[in-house]
Amino acid sequence: IVLTDAFLVWDAGQQRGLKNILIALWDTSQIALIGLVITSVLGIAYAFFMSLVPWVGRASWPYLVALQAAPIIALTPLIRALIESTTLQRLVVVILIAFFPITTATFFGLTTVPSTLHDLFTIQHATNWQRLRFLQVPHALPTIFLGLRTSAGLAVVGAVVGDFYFRQGGRVGIGAQSDLYRAQLWGADMVAAVIMASTLGIVLFICFSWLSRKVVGHWHQPVTK
């Protein structure tokens, strides 16, 4: 009877632990997805702007590199001082971490079109809008999706990092949950939380890989040696 009661208590604890992990994972997933959408819109739009106005790209490039290289832990006091909402603080962390890959990948794709193709559009008296829509954007699609896949993984990293530094009373993300397990020396639960966070990043990467094949896979073939 004693063993049965002990097993029931242990099983109930395991179920509560799994439930807490899933709730925390859902909270982190929302932050990662919302942050990724915002980052993608801002990053792609800014890359288009840099390609249309070259001096903007040259002037802002050092700042983009500095933003990517800046340690988030050093920026957390500034973020906390400027933004009151915990949700917005976590979203800012996601954007700061995931912004660089999608922006640079899009900009690279837009600006590396072969000059012979540009000459062809010039001969046909194409407008800047036609050149952008029918030449630069199709050429940039593979690299755009490459940037999206990279930023998707980094968005999860940013969401987990935001959980550590910006915790909200009623809602705890997977990063804060795993840190709680670490403090309480619950090794198995901590490992489970880490695996769940890694799985989220893998799922997002697979989704964007599938979307990339659907959008550009039927006409774009990567160069292989």
Side-chain angles (χ1 to χ4, degrees):
I1 295 175
V2 173
L3 291 177
T4 302
D5 291 342
F7 175 78
L8 291 176
V9 171
W10 176 83
D11 184 61
Q14 292 295 104
Q15 292 180 2
R16 286 196 298 271
L18 180 59
K19 180 180 179 180
N20 291 336
I21 291 175
L22 292 177
I23 293 174
L25 180 65
W26 171 243
D27 182 67
T28 300
S29 301
Q30 294 179 78
I31 296 296
L33 290 173
I34 295 173
L36 180 60
V37 171
I38 296 173
T39 304
S40 300
V41 172
L42 294 178
I44 293 175
Y46 191 68
F48 272 77
F49 184 63
M50 288 194 299
S51 67
L52 294 174
V53 187
W55 69 266
V56 173
R58 292 192 298 268
S60 60
W61 195 257
Y63 298 99
L64 291 175
V65 175
L67 180 65
Q68 177 68 13
I72 292 298
I73 190 173
L75 298 177
T76 51
L78 180 62
I79 296 173
R80 184 176 286 110
L82 296 177
I83 303 174
E84 294 184 2
S85 171
T86 305
T87 300
L88 289 180
Q89 290 171 346
R90 296 164 68 192
L91 287 174
V92 168
V93 174
V94 174
I95 294 171
L96 290 177
I97 291 181
F99 184 78
F100 185 81
I102 182 59
T103 304
T104 54
T106 303
F107 181 72
F108 178 80
L110 292 172
T111 57
T112 56
V113 179
S115 59
T116 53
L117 295 179
H118 275 295
D119 293 339
L120 177 62
F121 273 68
T122 301
I123 293 173
Q124 298 297 325
H125 304 287
T127 64
N128 291 335
W129 168 249
Q130 291 173 329
R131 189 185 301 268
L132 179 66
R133 178 183 177 184
F134 297 108
L135 177 60
Q136 291 176 274
V137 171
H139 183 271
L141 279 178
T143 56
I144 290 175
F145 278 102
L146 176 61
L148 286 173
R149 291 197 297 270
T150 305
S151 293
L154 291 177
V156 176
V157 174
V160 174
V161 170
D163 293 340
F164 277 104
Y165 295 109
F166 307 107
R167 304 185 184 187
Q168 193 169 352
R171 299 170 60 188
V172 178
I174 196 70
Q177 192 72 25
S178 61
D179 189 49
L180 175 64
Y181 293 148
R182 177 198 59 79
Q184 296 178 347
L185 300 179
W186 295 355
D189 291 328
M190 183 183 69
V191 172
V194 172
I195 292 175
M196 287 293 188
S198 302
T199 303
L200 175 61
I202 294 173
V203 168
L204 287 178
F205 183 89
I206 292 174
C207 289
F208 278 106
S209 298
W210 175 84
L211 185 61
S212 176
R213 289 194 299 269
K214 289 297 182 180
V215 174
V216 300
H218 65 285
W219 59 265
H220 172 74
Q221 295 295 331
V223 177
T224 57
K225 294 183 179 181

